[in-house]
Amino acid sequence: MSNTGKNASQNFTQTELLVHALVIELEAVQSYKDLAEQMEQCGNTEVAALFDKMSKLEAEHAEKIREAAGDVELTELPPWEYRWPGLEPPENIDLAGVHYLMTPHQALELALENELSAMAFFDAIAHDSTDDQVGSLAQEFGDDERQHVAWMKEWLAKYPPPDDDWDYDPDPPAAID
Amino acid sequence: MVRRMSVAAPCKLKASDYKSGTKPVWCPGCGDFHVLASLTKAIAALALVPENLAVVSGIGCSSRIPAYLNCYGFHGVHGRALPLATGLKVARPDLTVICAGGDGDGFSIGGNHLLHACRRNVDITYVVMDNEIYGMTKGQPSPTTAPDWDSELAPGGTGVSPFHPLVIALASGANFVARTFAGDVKGTTRTLAEAIGHPGFSFVQILSPCVTFRPDQREWKNKVHPPPVTFTTDPAQAARRVMTDDGFNIGVLYKGSRDIYGQAVERNAEFERDLDAEFLV
Ligand SMILES: Cc1ncc(C[n+]2csc(CCOP(=O)(O)OP(=O)(O)O)c2C)c(N)n1
Ligand code: SF4
């Protein structure tokens, strides 16, 4: 299993931080896009539309990071060299939480979890970095994620939590005829 | 057979460039989505040219993977992916050949082919998406299913001992053996890149949850852990390790240096040519 070292958040250079921030967003764009397509395939159009919207939101965020990078060349690393604290980039949806009958509320809960882990990722760098410039850039990225957390919470309040039988399928895949 | 891998792409392609326009029909949450992501990232990192790359599969949910890739693909017959991949590589050694499928395809109906593919050591990479079930046909137990896994199709469990694919591969002569977890995209990508780059028959078992028929496998992400030690070059030691682990150690287990298929034959032919030349009057 690929893991980061204990104090990995201390050691980011500014370019590394920018590359990680950009790749987090690009990965999230793809992950939400894939999920939107998966939900569309299953006829869960409401959640598909929501994931599609999330993908667009993350794409805007990626653009913002590119702008923040200015002239700094952001060269992607080999995929196994990224230093995420978990198995996946912090803003990627945990597939283990996905279900074809999931409700918008559940989808938004997963999205909120992502924003929280992205925020924690940048906050840890801001806190641990020994380089002031890196620290303040990480703080900025952390604040952006805080803003996203607030949006997610607002959205969540608009959708009711799922009923107890949310995963009831009158024609379940496991049925043996 | 001289080892040849396709040359690197002249301009670097992104992982998404290796995905085809066909949208996967896997259930949302299926581990195979992660395998697709890891495989495209690995081949992008190796800068393999799509036209020199072929992915061969059998039948099953996991075996659909060639359709979702932008390279040559062959969706073969159930259990016969390895003979197809072997034939392709022997006929076209310039191609990078990856064989993919499920535990049903590779260990049940195709089990015998696995033994001989390991033994022959043709330079291909075999990726098994192991969900301990036949996903496509609605959840029958497979050779890696635990004996007490209770289901509608096997009430009370099969009571049959599961198969140890990694031990079988080691005992049969595979040259690279690893286990990964689909949800660990970073680790799986790295292992796949290593496996493809390693000469000979590379075998990668990917624990890939079937969220529909084995919802319990959603918990695998909390069970997997890195191995306590690094890979070994001793197959017996590797086999002992994997026989005694909990099934959730992930990482590269074994890297061998056996002659790949055809190398010894080529060396002998060269020796015979030299001998002939010596005795030529
Ligand atoms: C010769 C033959 N026998 C049986 C089948 C039915 N069949 C299709 S897929 C499959 C098992 C698939 O299981 P696995 O390889 O583990 O793939 P998964 O669907 O779990 O990814 C079986 C038995 C078939 N297609 N052909
Ligand atoms: S049935 Fe299982 S293996 Fe097949 S696509 Fe669905 S989750 Fe994946």
Side-chain angles (χ1 to χ4, degrees):
Chain A
M1 185 162 49
S2 23
N3 253 326
T4 45
K6 222 176 178 186
N7 290 321
S9 53
Q10 280 181 344
N11 309 325
F12 280 83
T13 63
Q14 192 177 9
T15 310
E16 281 173 342
L17 173 59
L18 283 162
V19 170
H20 275 72
L22 179 64
V23 170
I24 284 175
E25 300 307 326
L26 295 178
E27 287 273 345
V29 170
Q30 189 63 46
S31 147
Y32 280 122
K33 194 166 162 268
D34 289 348
L35 281 164
E37 283 167 5
Q38 291 167 34
M39 289 299 163
E40 191 73 51
Q41 290 270 3
C42 301
N44 191 341
T45 47
E46 205 180 359
V47 172
L50 202 100
F51 281 141
D52 193 47
K53 196 165 164 182
M54 288 302 301
S55 175
K56 292 190 173 115
L57 196 79
E58 302 299 357
E60 280 170 25
H61 198 184
E63 219 29 67
K64 221 176 133 189
I65 292 164
R66 277 205 185 93
E67 278 165 26
D71 293 337
V72 182
E73 202 182 321
L74 302 183
T75 313
E76 288 190 20
L77 302 171
W80 46 87
E81 281 181 16
Y82 290 102
R83 289 180 271 157
W84 324 122
L87 291 178
E88 280 225 78
E91 278 195 70
N92 276 33
I93 285 271
D94 177 4
L95 272 193
V98 172
H99 191 282
Y100 66 106
L101 292 173
M102 74 196 302
T103 66
H105 186 92
Q106 288 165 308
L108 283 166
E109 273 179 335
L110 289 180
L112 172 63
E113 245 174 66
N114 289 351
E115 302 298 344
L116 285 168
S117 47
M119 187 178 88
F121 175 76
F122 291 118
D123 282 354
I125 299 172
H127 181 266
D128 296 344
S129 180
T130 47
D131 178 321
D132 288 348
Q133 252 188 322
V134 172
S136 66
L137 188 61
Q139 185 64 55
E140 231 178 87
F141 290 154
D143 289 341
D144 284 346
E145 301 301 344
R146 230 175 305 285
Q147 175 69 61
H148 288 190
V149 167
W151 288 342
M152 287 307 123
K153 285 185 175 164
E154 269 173 42
W155 276 11
L156 250 178
K158 288 184 195 153
Y159 290 95
D163 297 332
D164 286 347
D165 62 348
W166 64 270
D167 59 351
Y168 171 71
D169 185 340
D171 180 21
I176 313 297
D177 300 323
Chain B
M1 182 168 64
V2 180
R3 179 160 208 266
R4 271 176 277 174
M5 244 175 77
S6 46
V7 285
C11 75
K12 203 163 171 350
L13 299 172
K14 294 195 296 294
S16 54
D17 296 326
Y18 291 92
K19 283 192 186 162
S20 72
T22 307
K23 300 297 169 207
V25 292
W26 292 318
C27 312
C30 176
D32 296 350
F33 280 107
H34 275 144
V35 178
L36 178 63
S38 301
L39 189 57
T40 51
K41 282 180 184 189
I43 53 191
L46 293 170
L48 298 180
V49 195
E51 58 269 33
N52 287 341
L53 173 65
V55 179
V56 177
S57 71
I59 299 290
C61 299
S62 41
S63 290
R64 289 179 181 273
I65 205 161
Y68 307 142
L69 289 162
N70 178 24
C71 62
Y72 284 107
F74 197 115
H75 194 173
V77 183
H78 193 33
R80 310 292 174 237
L82 277 171
L84 283 166
T86 302
L88 178 59
K89 182 66 186 181
V90 171
R92 288 286 308 273
D94 55 313
L95 296 181
T96 296
V97 177
I98 298 171
C99 183
D103 41 303
D105 193 74
F107 308 150
S108 288
I109 189 167
N112 196 35
H113 294 303
L114 173 64
L115 309 183
H116 299 289
C118 293
R119 207 167 62 78
R120 287 189 191 105
N121 202 28
V122 173
D123 189 17
I124 59 180
T125 302
Y126 186 34
V127 180
V128 173
M129 288 158 256
D130 190 350
N131 52 18
E132 301 177 359
I133 204 91
Y134 294 176
M136 180 172 263
T137 48
K138 293 188 164 215
Q140 296 84 355
S142 84
T144 48
T145 308
D148 57 351
W149 183 68
D150 189 21
S151 71
E152 273 181 80
L153 283 175
T158 60
V160 179
S161 278
F163 180 90
H164 276 279
L166 300 181
V167 180
I168 304 274
L170 285 161
S172 312
N175 218 27
F176 179 101
V177 175
R179 183 196 283 135
T180 73
F181 168 55
D184 178 15
V185 173
K186 196 162 71 164
T188 302
T189 303
R190 190 217 293 255
T191 303
L192 287 174
E194 265 194 79
I196 296 167
H198 194 85
F201 187 80
S202 298
F203 177 53
V204 184
Q205 176 196 23
I206 306 184
L207 305 176
S208 182
C210 170
V211 293
T212 299
F213 298 107
R214 296 295 306 263
D216 53 306
Q217 293 176 348
R218 290 179 192 266
E219 271 311 301
W220 275 359
K221 66 172 181 171
N222 300 318
K223 291 189 174 170
V224 293
H225 50 85
V229 283
T230 178
F231 71 88
T232 167
T233 54
D234 174 2
Q237 192 183 21
R240 251 193 320 276
R241 271 183 201 163
V242 83
M243 279 298 279
T244 52
D245 81 359
D246 61 355
F248 289 102
N249 261 327
I250 51 176
V252 178
L253 185 70
Y254 169 75
K255 286 186 194 178
S257 53
R258 283 178 56 218
D259 274 352
I260 61 172
Y261 179 81
Q263 250 176 0
V265 177
E266 251 171 50
R267 256 203 312 275
N268 283 345
E270 210 174 301
F271 172 73
E272 279 162 22
R273 271 196 304 274
D274 290 350
L275 207 65
D276 279 351
E278 237 178 84
F279 288 100
L280 210 65
V281 274

